[in-house]
Amino acid sequence: MATQIIQYEYAPGHFRASEPNVYRPDMLNEGEMILNMGPQHPSTHGVLRLEVVTDGEIIADVVPHLGYLHRCFEKHAQALPFNQTIPFVDRLDYLAAMNSEHAFVMGVERMLGIENDIPKRTEYIRVLVAELNRIAAHFVGVGTYALDIGAYTPFLWLMRDREHIQRLLEWVSGARMLYNYMWVGGLFYDLPVGFEERCREFVQYLKPKLVELQQLVIENEIFVKRTANVGVLPLPVAISYGCTGPMLRGSGLRYDLRRVDGYSVYPELDFDIPIGEGQMGTVGDCWDRNNVRVQECHESIRIVEQCLDKLTTDYRRTRDYDPQAVVPKKIRPKAMDFYARAESAKGELGFFFRTDGRSDVPVRCKARSCCFHNLSVIGEISKGAMLADLVAVIGSIDVVMGEVDR
């Protein structure tokens, strides 16, 4: 029976943009082929689809395809009052919801001109829960990364320790992941009685566990060989693509909005900004990015301890403290275009607001996703790598698709 040859006809004009692939068979060089990875592949961290062009085992190009988990965040935000949008903010980077809330509520407070009216205790509580959530988010990033490249035990250990943080945040807010805890002008509620003592116990428990993590994963000979000199992101390329967070700092730039912008009470706290130094390979490789995340966990613990000191001394709980005292009854900013940003666990999370001065619903609310920018560089840092290293590169970016496909 003769083999039937199918001739593909490609739609002209704007229909071509809706095609499932960027590359067509007639665009490939001799020996190249197109492979599809995801969106159900367990190592694509959610619903990411990668169109991979390979020449044998060597990657010629990688094109990320989005649209499988559309949160519709911006449409929701443009149809609801500012305070009702916060639960949708939680669902962007659902692993670091407190950090996302922090950026959003600070932006609205600045538009209203009440950022200096927020009580110090409220600010320290915000930073405390945000840094706890940052540690939990990094635990997922490093744990699933180790799982992707073949190490099962670190994932179980990090999920065990992350569970302690989840229980603390659930005690504070009543929710395990999507908190709606930070409100415009304040907080949903004060810390529960005994929270500070329980949190100190957790910090003392976690310190030696981070040392174990460093030994078990980061300094492990197999992990080093799997990640060093792989997926190298040069600093000029990182800046050109708008990469931020551990992606940018892993490439050697000490850039952290907690220091650059000095928002909330971060200027009053003592902590360092870890960067990639090429200790095991090349500056900006997969190993550097993961090492930066682990080192940031150490720094977050320092911040948590300082917040606990302040919350039990200078700004300890009193009967007259009301976390909702500055919460406005109606959020109606003046007509303006405004951009606010903060350092999330993945990088710079920003919100652009356009208001008309008459409504408590924004005319436009645009989220600047750090995960979107970080993911956009995958084609650049994967070219020339082995196909087996693509999973290592994806995991080192640490994306959450809820924030990418917002």
Side-chain angles (χ1 to χ4, degrees), residues 124-177:
Y124 273 103
I125 291 175
R126 285 180 174 181
V127 172
L128 171 66
V129 296
E131 293 304 318
L132 286 172
N133 212 174
R134 189 186 309 275
I135 297 172
H138 284 336
F139 278 4
V140 175
V142 177
T144 55
Y145 187 64
L147 189 65
D148 287 345
I149 59 177
Y152 194 71
T153 301
F155 173 75
L156 297 178
W157 286 14
L158 288 170
M159 291 302 102
R160 173 200 64 194
D161 295 337
R162 176 177 176 268
E163 181 65 23
H164 296 302
I165 300 177
Q166 296 296 94
R167 289 174 178 174
L168 286 171
L169 295 179
E170 183 180 12
W171 191 18
V172 170
S173 65
R176 280 178 55 82
M177 286 183 64

Side-chain angles (χ1 to χ4, degrees), residues 82-148:
F82 290 96
N83 57 327
Q84 294 183 24
T85 303
I86 297 174
F88 295 97
V89 175
D90 287 332
R91 287 159 173 80
L92 293 174
D93 182 357
Y94 43 80
L95 298 177
M98 289 292 191
N99 301 91
S100 304
E101 289 179 13
H102 203 183
F104 186 85
V105 300
M106 281 195 308
V108 180
E109 287 164 1
R110 289 173 187 168
M111 286 195 295
L112 294 173
I114 62 172
E115 70 272 20
N116 296 324
D117 300 333
I118 309 299
K120 279 288 188 178
R121 179 172 174 82
T122 297
E123 292 283 16
Y124 273 103
I125 291 175
R126 285 180 174 181
V127 172
L128 171 66
V129 296
E131 293 304 318
L132 286 172
N133 212 174
R134 189 186 309 275
I135 297 172
H138 284 336
F139 278 4
V140 175
V142 177
T144 55
Y145 187 64
L147 189 65
D148 287 345

Side-chain angles (χ1 to χ4, degrees), residues 163-288:
E163 181 65 23
H164 296 302
I165 300 177
Q166 296 296 94
R167 289 174 178 174
L168 286 171
L169 295 179
E170 183 180 12
W171 191 18
V172 170
S173 65
R176 280 178 55 82
M177 286 183 64
L178 309 171
Y179 306 107
N180 191 20
Y181 181 62
M182 298 186 197
W183 288 6
V184 177
L187 301 167
F188 164 64
Y189 204 69
D190 194 2
L191 294 177
V193 175
F195 181 88
E196 296 91 333
E197 293 75 13
R198 186 75 61 84
C199 195
R200 283 192 190 278
E201 293 175 5
F202 168 71
V203 167
Q204 297 308 313
Y205 159 84
L206 190 60
K207 286 181 179 179
K209 300 299 180 185
L210 287 179
V211 176
E212 289 181 355
L213 174 63
Q214 189 78 21
Q215 296 170 344
L216 180 70
V217 180
I218 303 301
E219 297 173 2
N220 185 291
E221 182 179 356
I222 301 174
F223 184 84
V224 172
K225 288 183 177 179
R226 193 74 177 82
T227 58
N229 299 312
V230 174
V232 177
L233 175 60
L235 183 56
V237 176
I239 295 173
S240 297
Y241 276 82
C243 296
T244 52
M247 284 286 288
L248 179 62
R249 293 190 287 274
S251 296
L253 183 61
R254 209 177 298 274
Y255 182 88
D256 190 309
L257 295 179
R258 294 173 294 178
R259 280 279 183 253
V260 174
D261 288 356
Y263 59 89
S264 191
V265 292
Y266 282 110
E268 303 173 21
L269 301 171
D270 179 30
F271 61 98
D272 298 324
I273 310 299
I275 59 172
E277 299 174 350
Q279 300 172 27
M280 299 296 180
T282 307
V283 175
D285 58 16
C286 292
W287 188 90
D288 267 348

Side-chain angles (χ1 to χ4, degrees), residues 301-326:
I301 284 181
R302 291 178 59 190
I303 295 174
V304 166
E305 288 184 310
Q306 294 173 68
C307 289
L308 291 173
D309 290 339
K310 289 290 187 179
L311 290 170
T312 53
T313 55
D314 298 345
Y315 307 111
R316 62 184 180 273
R317 68 179 72 245
T318 57
R319 289 185 177 275
D320 58 349
Y321 169 68
D322 181 5
Q324 299 182 18
V326 194

